Amino acid sequence: MRQFGRDVEGRRAHIELDAPAPMLFVHGLGGESLDWIDVALQLKDLVDCMGLDLPGFAHSALPLDGDLSLDGMAGTVAEVARAMTRPVHLVANSLGGTIAVRVAAEHPELVASLTLVAPALPDLHPRLGSVQLLIGLTPLLGPAIVRTIINSDPEWMAKRIYALCYGDPKAVPARRHERELATLRQRAGLDYSPRVYREALRATVMSYVDRGPRRMWQQARAVGVPTLVISGGRDRLVKERVIARARRTFQDAEMVRFAAAGHLAHLEDPDATAAAIRAFLLQRGLIRGMSERRGTVVEAERPSR
């Protein structure tokens, strides 16, 4: 995929794309656009794929307006979507899912469909893995702890990520491991990485505790486009009850569960993830034809390799 930088109302975003795209991929906390490459390659015959590095992540510079809030990130995604020739099929993971819900709720004209992989939707009784991340927000020690972790040995850090985010931490392919190490080294070389990570984490926490008219579950209820939610049976960050609530809340929701996957199904099993998105688009008539399926739950085992 070609790469170039883009200025969107003061937020510099790095974009990777094949062509002006109806499908836009958004990564999660600590991720990057290349997280979606294996999924995108399997869908490129069906849709044009574009992956966005959120402001301050990977190859995107800090936003010129300094806004690293949820609204700031959602604004970047919305402006990139607005630059397309037609509404996009928005695909997102974790924190990216939170951002995507806000965009779909507040800018329905920009979004044709929504696919959420383990979305970080509010849960006031989060799992232990999520609670452990909160140490990065402590007032005095947080910045130093985050900086130490980001600058730690990449091999050690990769194993920590696999233990927290993968259904089977020992099943990471060598090619994926090398990509993870490259990402970690690149992140450690950016002075602003600790700030970006902490602000993204803060944006997630604030979305959990927001009780205003733009609270996330209220915005999920406002999403009118067909929505696919992909969950992992071994997700250590998002509880099953959050996925169940998502099914009840989105107006037109379809669920796919990969029993052996963790929090990153698109990295753990890109083949199954791409197949689920393809089936969703085709069976719903979002690409061609028309289907009347609504609110279906599909249980799927992760195929063995």
Side-chain angles (χ1 to χ4, degrees), residues 206-220:
M206 294 305 295
S207 75
Y208 275 39
V209 300
D210 185 2
R211 290 293 176 267
R214 300 171 74 221
R215 57 191 182 276
M216 290 312 305
W217 284 115
Q218 184 68 22
Q219 296 207 308

Side-chain angles (χ1 to χ4, degrees), residues 40-301:
L41 287 173
Q42 295 183 64
L43 294 174
K44 67 178 183 177
D45 66 309
L46 191 66
V47 291
D48 292 321
C49 299
M50 179 167 68
L52 170 69
D53 284 332
L54 292 167
F57 287 91
H59 299 285
S60 283
L62 284 172
L64 299 180
D65 61 4
D67 189 357
L68 292 168
S69 67
L70 181 61
D71 277 344
M73 292 183 285
T76 294
V77 173
E79 288 304 317
V80 171
R82 188 171 286 113
M84 301 298 102
T85 58
R86 57 195 185 276
V88 300
H89 297 286
L90 194 54
V91 182
N93 166 243
S94 195
L95 169 62
T98 309
I99 296 166
V101 169
R102 175 148 293 180
V103 173
E106 298 188 348
H107 304 281
E109 76 284 359
L110 300 179
V111 181
S113 73
L114 191 61
T115 296
L116 306 174
V117 180
L121 292 170
D123 180 4
L124 294 182
H125 301 282
R127 286 187 162 170
L128 179 60
S130 297
V131 174
Q132 290 174 344
L133 299 176
L134 297 181
I135 192 172
L137 294 181
T138 55
L140 297 178
L141 294 178
I145 291 172
V146 170
R147 183 170 295 278
T148 298
I149 290 174
I150 287 177
N151 290 306
S152 63
D153 174 57
E155 288 282 355
W156 176 86
M157 188 60 195
K159 290 179 181 178
R160 296 270 298 179
I161 292 171
Y162 303 153
L164 182 62
C165 297
Y166 281 63
D168 182 357
K170 297 181 180 179
V172 180
R175 185 170 67 90
R176 175 62 228 165
H177 180 60
E178 289 304 314
R179 176 68 245 172
E180 188 68 44
L181 294 180
T183 298
L184 292 170
R185 293 185 182 107
Q186 190 262 352
R187 185 179 303 153
L190 301 173
D191 289 340
Y192 52 77
S193 286
R195 176 193 167 196
V196 171
Y197 180 89
R198 292 183 75 244
E199 290 302 316
L201 182 58
R202 190 187 311 279
T204 305
V205 173
M206 294 305 295
S207 75
Y208 275 39
V209 300
D210 185 2
R211 290 293 176 267
R214 300 171 74 221
R215 57 191 182 276
M216 290 312 305
W217 284 115
Q218 184 68 22
Q219 296 207 308
R221 188 172 291 109
V223 173
V225 298
T227 301
L228 172 65
V229 180
I230 298 175
S231 66
R234 298 179 181 176
D235 194 331
R236 298 175 181 86
L237 296 174
V238 176
K239 288 185 176 181
E240 188 62 33
R241 70 183 178 205
V242 172
I243 303 302
R245 184 174 180 180
R247 180 193 178 190
R248 299 191 305 268
T249 302
F250 287 103
Q251 295 180 34
D252 186 4
E254 182 170 333
M255 307 287 157
V256 175
R257 181 177 183 270
F258 300 138
H263 192 63
L264 304 172
H266 57 302
L267 292 175
E268 299 173 73
D269 200 332
D271 295 351
T273 301
I277 296 173
R278 176 182 293 272
F280 170 65
L281 294 175
L282 293 176
Q283 293 172 5
R284 288 303 192 93
L286 296 168
I287 299 299
R288 64 177 73 92
M290 184 60 67
S291 172
E292 297 300 322
R293 293 200 311 153
R294 296 177 66 86
T296 303
V297 177
V298 179
E299 294 286 335
E301 293 288 339

Side-chain angles (χ1 to χ4, degrees), residues 6-48:
R6 184 188 186 97
D7 284 305
V8 182
E9 291 191 354
R11 302 181 181 93
R12 184 164 179 78
H14 176 81
I15 302 172
E16 303 177 356
L17 77 162
D18 291 319
M23 179 165 280
L24 176 60
F25 295 93
V26 184
H27 61 80
L29 177 66
E32 62 173 340
S33 58
L34 283 177
D35 289 350
W36 295 102
I37 186 66
D38 290 332
V39 173
L41 287 173
Q42 295 183 64
L43 294 174
K44 67 178 183 177
D45 66 309
L46 191 66
V47 291
D48 292 321

